[in-house]
Amino acid sequence: MTGPAIGVGLLGYGFMGEAHSRALISLQHLDEPLRPELVSISGRNREAVERARDRWGWSEAVTDWHEQVADERIGLFDNSGPNAVHAEPTIAAARAGKHVLCEKPLGLTAAESHEIWQEAERAGVRHFCGFNYRFVPAVRLARELLEAGELGEVVHFRARYLQSWGWDADPTLWRLDRGEAGSGALGDLGAHIVDIARYLVGEIASVSARVRTVIPNREVDDHFVATIEFENGIVGTLEASRLARGRLNSNAFEINGSKGSLAFDAERLNELEVADVKGFRRVLVTERDDPYLHHWWRPGHIIGWGATFVHELGHLLEAIAGEHEVAPHGATFEDGYRCSEVLDAIVRSAESGRQEPVSYR
């Protein structure tokens, strides 16, 4: 059913660690050129990482990622840990000759993200930044429609990522710790919509933004809004919040052109809204020849959020096996770095009160 094995070492046993573990288990049973072997999972809490090892079938649990970097059985290092531990383990794994996947945001700053990218490039390994929404079939279809010119001349892009858990969040969560997370809604949710903007429309040239912390004594931002201009002259808006009551995981975008529009919301994951000059119609993206659907069910049988991690990790395994490059549909560390430059520019704009250019090194 699958090709030869590649050993995987996973850093992180929390929410993202669970998503990656589930995806790797699925890929063991799908027709991929490489079969992921779950060698070890690492984390700081011995009891928690042992529970994760037992639950997801990892062969070993370790509390020091250095052991994974030194482990010759591991060919792919998957970093799903908190943002503050993205850089050092990922760079060390790349220097050790391991292919690397790192969750977003790639680094705490654009400078750190640039270093991670450059180190992986120098090592000559495959590198992949975990922007899983690129692997929603409806989002991939949106890109194909744009490339085919179905919308005509694109004039506007708008995106918002809204959640509500921030009002009542446990103050001890690492996502609310500036040292661990670097930022709040900006890096957690904003990174996703910046990447979608780049993936669908192009590079962002400038931003004008406001970033706010609403909850007293909180170290990180709760929400932000930004107007953006792309290098190709298209304008747009970005908005992300973890204080949007009633919104659980509303990652949505709309693109407007001279001949039509596209609209998507992750809370309706299998649907793409497509408009011509008369109005919108719903497209259910579940056909077997739609992007990534060959692994799944008959038409009309929808897939879930977890499938996006199966798609992205499967894409990376195919790239490691030489079937295609990571880019353009997968996000490389260069994409992760370029996203970080936009995030840093949003912070600068909020601090200066001015429109800020986005420059790339």
Side-chain angles (χ1 to χ4, degrees):
M1 291 178 61
T2 58
I6 180 171
V8 182
L10 176 67
L11 190 163
Y13 51 75
F15 183 55
M16 281 295 104
E18 177 177 345
H20 287 233
S21 294
R22 286 176 180 265
L24 289 163
I25 292 168
S26 294
L27 286 162
Q28 290 179 330
H29 303 281
L30 296 175
D31 187 16
E32 289 291 345
L34 294 173
R35 178 177 58 83
E37 179 183 343
L38 278 58
V39 175
S40 69
I41 183 170
S42 66
R44 291 172 290 189
N45 184 300
R46 167 60 72 181
E47 184 179 341
V49 76
E50 282 287 354
R51 285 198 303 268
R53 180 204 60 76
D54 182 63
R55 183 178 187 186
W56 304 116
W58 291 90
S59 296
E60 298 175 8
V62 299
T63 55
D64 186 348
W65 57 262
H66 290 88
E67 295 182 37
Q68 295 175 304
V69 169
D71 193 335
E72 294 183 355
R73 297 172 298 168
I74 293 173
L76 169 61
F77 182 76
D78 184 347
N79 190 339
S80 68
N83 303 345
V85 292
H86 283 184
E88 186 183 2
T90 303
I91 290 172
R95 287 175 175 172
K98 303 183 190 306
H99 304 291
V100 281
L101 186 156
C102 184
E103 267 299 331
K104 57 88 220 152
L106 183 58
L108 295 174
T109 64
E112 186 173 86
S113 296
H114 186 265
E115 181 185 7
I116 298 170
W117 168 39
Q118 291 299 297
E119 289 286 354
E121 278 289 297
R122 278 191 284 270
V125 298
R126 296 288 191 178
H127 47 84
F128 191 106
C129 191
F131 288 110
N132 64 300
Y133 287 101
R134 290 187 178 211
F135 292 90
V136 176
V139 173
R140 175 69 179 273
L141 179 61
R143 175 165 167 134
E144 291 177 0
L145 293 174
L146 286 162
E147 289 178 336
E150 294 294 324
L151 267 62
E153 179 187 0
V154 175
V155 295
H156 192 83
F157 173 87
R158 60 179 62 83
R160 66 180 195 188
Y161 200 156
L162 307 178
Q163 297 178 344
S164 60
W165 62 270
W167 286 109
D168 309 308
D170 179 351
T172 66
L173 287 174
W174 72 262
R175 293 182 186 275
L176 302 180
D177 183 325
R178 178 169 292 278
E180 289 285 294
S183 65
L186 181 62
D188 185 20
L189 308 179
H192 275 301
I193 55 178
V194 167
D195 183 69
I196 287 295
R198 293 186 59 253
Y199 180 60
L200 296 177
V201 180
E203 295 292 357
I204 296 171
S206 65
V207 301
S208 181
R210 295 293 182 269
V211 180
R212 294 285 186 268
T213 301
V214 175
I215 306 300
N217 302 316
R218 182 165 288 174
E219 295 181 352
V220 296
D221 58 280
D222 291 311
H223 63 200
F224 82 92
V225 294
T227 57
I228 59 174
E229 184 170 2
F230 294 87
E231 290 181 356
N232 53 23
I234 297 168
V235 296
T237 58
L238 304 174
E239 175 187 7
S241 176
R242 300 197 292 207
L243 301 178
R245 288 288 193 194
R247 299 293 184 183
L248 298 181
N249 192 46
S250 181
N251 180 2
F253 65 80
E254 183 171 322
I255 305 172
N256 307 124
S258 58
K259 294 167 57 178
S261 297
L262 297 172
F264 169 80
D265 190 330
E267 291 186 345
R268 303 181 69 89
L269 191 76
N270 293 265
E271 301 175 15
L272 184 65
E273 298 289 328
V274 182
D276 55 19
V277 295
K278 295 181 179 179
F280 277 96
R281 70 185 188 279
R282 184 192 73 151
V283 176
L284 187 63
V285 190
T286 62
E287 297 293 328
R288 294 294 295 232
D289 57 354
D290 281 329
Y292 310 114
L293 267 300
H294 62 284
H295 284 318
W296 303 109
W297 321 115
R298 294 178 180 176
H301 293 71
I302 62 177
I303 62 169
W305 178 81
T308 64
F309 294 91
V310 178
H311 301 161
E312 75 168 11
L313 279 157
H315 182 88
L316 177 56
L317 292 177
E318 292 164 3
I320 293 170
E323 293 196 353
H324 52 65
E325 298 297 318
V326 170
H329 298 300
T332 65
F333 282 2
E334 180 178 4
D335 291 302
Y337 153 68
R338 286 175 175 264
C339 176
S340 292
E341 287 286 12
V342 178
L343 299 181
D344 279 13
I346 287 172
V347 172
R348 291 198 305 273
S349 176
E351 292 173 346
S352 70
R354 298 188 299 270
Q355 184 178 19
E356 292 285 341
V358 181
S359 57
Y360 302 101
R361 309 169 200 213

